[in-house]
Amino acid sequence: ILNVEQSPQSLHVQEGDSTNFTCSFPSSNFYALHWYRWETAKSPEALFVMTLNGDEKKKGRISATLNTKEGYSYLYIKGSQPEDSATYLCASEGGSQGNLIFGKGTKLSVKP
Amino acid sequence: EPEVTQTPSHQVTQMGQEVILRCVPISNHLYFYWYRQILGQKVEFLVSFYNNEISEKSEIFDDQFSVERPDGSNFTLKIRSTKLEDSAMYFCASSYVRSPRAGYTFGSGTRLTVV
């Protein structure tokens, strides 16, 4: 059984601050690592899917890295804006089952 | 952009009642999933569905739960006799291929409250 952990659970930053949070996952039987952005009352929005050790992906001010050997991924937000406020979920996809094992999420609040 | 649609957005039901949560996946997707999140806990996998049958189910998905794709459009989750602990946000998702890394779209969820 996979266990995906995220830290911190919540984060409060000022507009303009850069921030990062962590997702750790079992490195055995790894297939892919997903990051989602989830705002209340909306669908979780896919940010990144990463598969290879050393992968780095970027989408605007948001980027993510992946270390499959040690089992962690970082999500970075540069110059946080109030609209970045959301819960950021990571999920590990193990093997070829197609099912995701989620972490608890990091709730980000960005104050103007 | 195509969406996964879930209805209702919020449902309140009495303990012991049956509920049906409805989802309309993206039209050319072939794999369908239900997940749930109990307040304050992790999003958990319930069941995956392909070619009109269950592909995989978790321990949570016991005999009280069933899924169906009745008309080629809707994908439903039925809870036969709801318990208080079934209160959660239920998410439907769909993908074109089995591995979600190729594209995995979630609906906005149905919040089920069992009283």
Side-chain angles (χ1 to χ4, degrees):
Chain A
I1 296 176
L2 298 178
N3 198 24
V4 176
E5 301 293 341
Q6 290 186 249
S7 63
Q9 284 189 20
S10 64
L11 197 52
H12 298 264
V13 301
Q14 286 293 132
E15 182 176 356
D17 286 351
S18 293
T19 187
N20 66 85
F21 15 97
T22 306
C23 173
S24 63
F25 54 89
S27 52
S28 60
N29 200 33
F30 172 81
Y31 194 63
L33 193 283
H34 299 243
W35 280 100
Y36 285 87
R37 179 176 178 277
W38 181 30
E39 287 183 70
T40 304
K42 294 187 179 178
S43 311
E45 173 200 351
L47 291 175
F48 305 113
V49 182
M50 296 184 288
T51 56
L52 298 176
N53 186 45
D55 256 357
E56 288 189 33
K57 297 218 171 172
K58 191 174 180 186
K59 191 175 183 177
R61 293 179 291 100
I62 305 177
S63 59
T65 61
L66 179 68
N67 183 322
T68 60
K69 291 184 179 178
E70 295 179 44
Y72 64 83
S73 175
Y74 293 134
L75 188 80
Y76 301 92
I77 302 179
K78 187 178 177 182
S80 304
Q81 300 296 309
E83 57 264 31
D84 295 329
S85 298
T87 296
Y88 291 83
L89 297 168
C90 79
S92 180
E93 182 190 343
S96 59
Q97 295 295 335
N99 308 325
L100 299 178
I101 308 296
F102 281 87
K104 244 182 168 181
T106 292
K107 187 171 182 179
L108 175 67
S109 299
V110 183
K111 292 183 182 176
Chain B
E1 191 168 329
E3 289 182 344
V4 173
T5 306
Q6 288 188 245
T7 54
S9 57
H10 191 185
Q11 180 150 0
V12 181
T13 189
Q14 292 228 327
M15 192 167 57
Q17 294 294 306
E18 174 184 286
V19 293
I20 297 176
L21 309 182
R22 300 180 194 282
C23 170
V24 179
I26 292 173
S27 60
N28 66 339
H29 282 188
L30 302 174
Y31 295 84
F32 313 109
Y33 309 85
W34 283 100
Y35 286 79
R36 78 172 185 190
Q37 187 190 36
I38 295 170
L39 191 63
Q41 299 185 24
K42 296 181 180 182
V43 176
E44 303 169 292
F45 167 73
L46 292 178
V47 66
S48 58
F49 191 86
Y50 169 71
N51 200 26
N52 283 321
E53 60 183 28
I54 290 173
S55 306
E56 191 183 0
K57 58 184 181 179
S58 70
E59 291 174 356
I60 303 167
F61 195 86
D62 61 21
D63 292 343
Q64 294 296 324
F65 292 89
S66 62
V67 288
E68 197 177 30
R69 190 156 157 80
D71 55 11
S73 172
N74 291 284
F75 178 51
T76 61
L77 175 70
K78 183 193 291 187
I79 309 176
R80 191 169 302 123
S81 176
T82 49
K83 308 190 227 12
L84 295 176
E85 54 265 35
D86 293 328
S87 296
M89 179 75 90
Y90 287 81
F91 291 102
C92 171
S94 68
S95 62
Y96 182 66
V97 294
R98 184 171 193 161
S99 166
R101 68 176 172 165
Y104 200 94
T105 306
F106 280 92
S108 57
T110 293
R111 180 164 294 286
L112 176 65
T113 304
V114 182
V115 296

